[in-house]
Amino acid sequence: MTAAGAPPIVFVHGTRFSAGQWSPQLAALREDFPVAAVDLPGHGVRSAQPWSLDAATEIIASAVDGFERGPALVVGHSLGGYASLEFARRCPERLRGLVLAGASASTRGPWATPYRWVAGLVPRIPANRLARWNDRLLRRLYPPEVVEATIRSGYAFHTLPAAWGEVLGRFDAGAMRHVAAPVLLLNGEKDTVFRSGEPAFARAHPHARVELIPRAGHLANFDAPDAFTDAVRRFALQLPVGG
């Protein structure tokens, strides 16, 4: 049964994945919180929808409004984290708290160059080959209950160039100044690339804190699903009632 005052939680997936990425968290939290996971434009059931941050923001806002319970906690991973930052800027009245997972690196400057290269390379590789590689990798690294929903939903490689083309060059720690709600930077301990701006992101917000998932990498919610879920749960329960 949902606890009185428990905030709704909206989960926003990362690059190439879909709402299925969050199946372990949804299963663990749904008895205590109203929860939902969205498919961003160009991903999952919205595979045919063109990518844009405008559309991503509208999708997150629609999920928050669907609870009809006021502002929500939004949890965004990687690409979904940057989309969630944009949502926080545009819709502050709908946000009760923000968890950025694997999304505390500046997308500006020299470090972005390899990601531009990857975004240009992906369309040259057949999508079915990329899907087979991803299926094998996920099944080798993680138990079925963690990744099967992601595998069933397929991958949005076709959207990667447009999505990262818009995100790269757009976000840095200054984006945190537009977030009115409390923020948790929830990163895998070993996610060195996407933790690279962690201190600056934390300093830029008066109510931000950092929590690391021990021994986890960029896919921290796959590497340590229980620890990731516990961190989200604790943060949600600490949020001020009413945002």
Side-chain angles (χ1 to χ4, degrees):
M1 180 180 297
T2 300
I9 306 177
V10 174
F11 290 89
V12 189
H13 63 80
T15 302
R16 80 188 181 280
F17 291 153
S18 65
Q21 176 182 350
W22 300 110
S23 58
Q25 283 67 48
L26 297 178
L29 294 170
R30 63 168 50 105
E31 289 190 8
D32 299 317
F33 300 88
V35 292
V38 301
D39 285 331
L40 291 172
H43 298 74
V45 299
R46 293 188 171 92
S47 179
Q49 181 178 351
W51 166 268
S52 74
L53 274 174
D54 288 345
T57 298
E58 292 171 4
I59 288 167
I60 298 169
S62 179
V64 171
D65 292 346
F67 289 116
E68 298 183 345
R69 293 182 55 147
L73 169 60
V74 176
V75 181
H77 173 255
S78 195
L79 174 65
Y82 296 110
S84 299
L85 267 175
E86 185 71 3
F87 168 78
R89 182 180 72 84
R90 297 190 190 192
C91 304
E93 74 287 352
R94 291 179 165 108
L95 189 69
R96 189 159 158 187
L98 177 64
V99 176
L100 294 179
S104 48
S106 173
T107 68
R108 296 175 174 171
W111 87 270
T113 300
Y115 292 88
R116 294 188 189 279
W117 181 81
V118 170
L121 176 64
V122 163
R124 304 179 189 179
I125 304 173
N128 60 351
R129 182 182 301 174
L130 290 169
R132 288 196 300 271
W133 289 346
N134 272 259
D135 287 353
R136 286 198 294 267
L137 179 66
L138 292 178
R139 287 184 170 128
R140 184 169 72 245
L141 295 177
Y142 305 111
E145 62 270 19
V146 172
V147 296
E148 278 304 319
T150 292
I151 292 170
R152 284 196 306 271
S153 298
Y155 309 99
F157 296 110
H158 65 289
T159 302
L160 191 151
W164 280 101
E166 189 174 14
V167 167
L168 290 173
R170 190 180 187 110
F171 295 96
D172 59 17
M176 295 284 282
R177 300 188 182 99
H178 300 290
V179 183
V183 180
L184 173 64
L185 303 177
L186 182 59
N187 291 318
E189 178 187 21
K190 297 182 178 180
D191 188 13
T192 54
V193 170
F194 284 90
R195 286 185 59 201
S196 60
E198 187 179 83
F201 272 62
R203 286 194 304 268
H205 192 283
H207 302 292
R209 66 178 180 86
V210 176
E211 183 167 344
L212 300 182
I213 306 295
R215 299 176 296 280
H218 187 56
L219 294 174
N221 80 298
F222 286 175
D223 290 327
D226 292 343
F228 189 99
T229 301
D230 181 61
V232 172
R233 181 191 302 276
R234 285 186 281 104
F235 183 66
L237 292 175
Q238 293 165 5
L239 292 173
V241 175

